[in-house]
Every structure is written in C-alpha cells, then in structure tokens.
Amino acid sequence: MSALKRVLGLLWIVLGPAAMLFMFLEACDKVALAPVGVDKTNTILQWGIILFIFIPICTGLVIFGLYSLKGEYTKLPESSEEL
C-alpha cells in the first residue's frame, strides 16, 4: 500500500503542472478564437476566473504528491491525541 501511495504521489506531481499547462493553452486558444469586442472581453474574464481558481488547486495537488512521495501518509494517526 505504501508503494502505491508513492506511485500515486508521482502521478499527482506530474498531473498538477500538466493540468495547469493544458488549461493555460486552452485559455489562449479560446481567447484567440473569440470575436473582437465584448465577447473577447467576456472570454478573457471567464478564463481568468477559471485559471484563478484552478492554479491553487493544481499547486495543492503537487504538494499532496510531494508529501505522498516522501511517505508522510504511511502512518496515519488513530486518535486525536496523536496529532
């Protein structure tokens, strides 16, 4: 089980930046395809909000993967006194 957690940690570390890159490229593509004017402004605002929300989530995914890779989740506390 510990090996699986470490492998999944590597997966999260790779998946976080890959998701950020994919979303950024998709945002650039959608903004470039939007017609000039209010539609382009709305598209920029929409993708700005999407990136603003998902970049911290992807960062957290990388941090979670790093902790998993280091083995921080091999022994979980069984009671609140162990915290």
Side-chain angles (χ1 to χ4, degrees), residues 17-79:
M20 279 193 279
L21 179 67
F22 175 74
M23 282 190 284
F24 183 75
L25 292 175
E26 191 70 21
C28 290
D29 188 41
K30 296 296 181 188
V31 168
L33 292 176
V36 178
V38 176
D39 290 338
K40 190 165 196 113
T41 304
N42 286 339
T43 305
I44 291 171
L45 179 65
Q46 176 187 11
W47 277 100
I49 291 170
I50 289 170
L51 291 175
F52 182 75
I53 291 170
F54 278 100
I55 285 177
I57 292 172
C58 292
T59 304
L61 196 63
V62 172
I63 292 170
F64 181 73
L66 280 174
Y67 282 139
S68 181
L69 189 63
K70 287 181 178 179
E72 295 288 332
Y73 302 117
T74 54
K75 182 183 180 311
L76 298 176
E78 296 179 9
S79 69

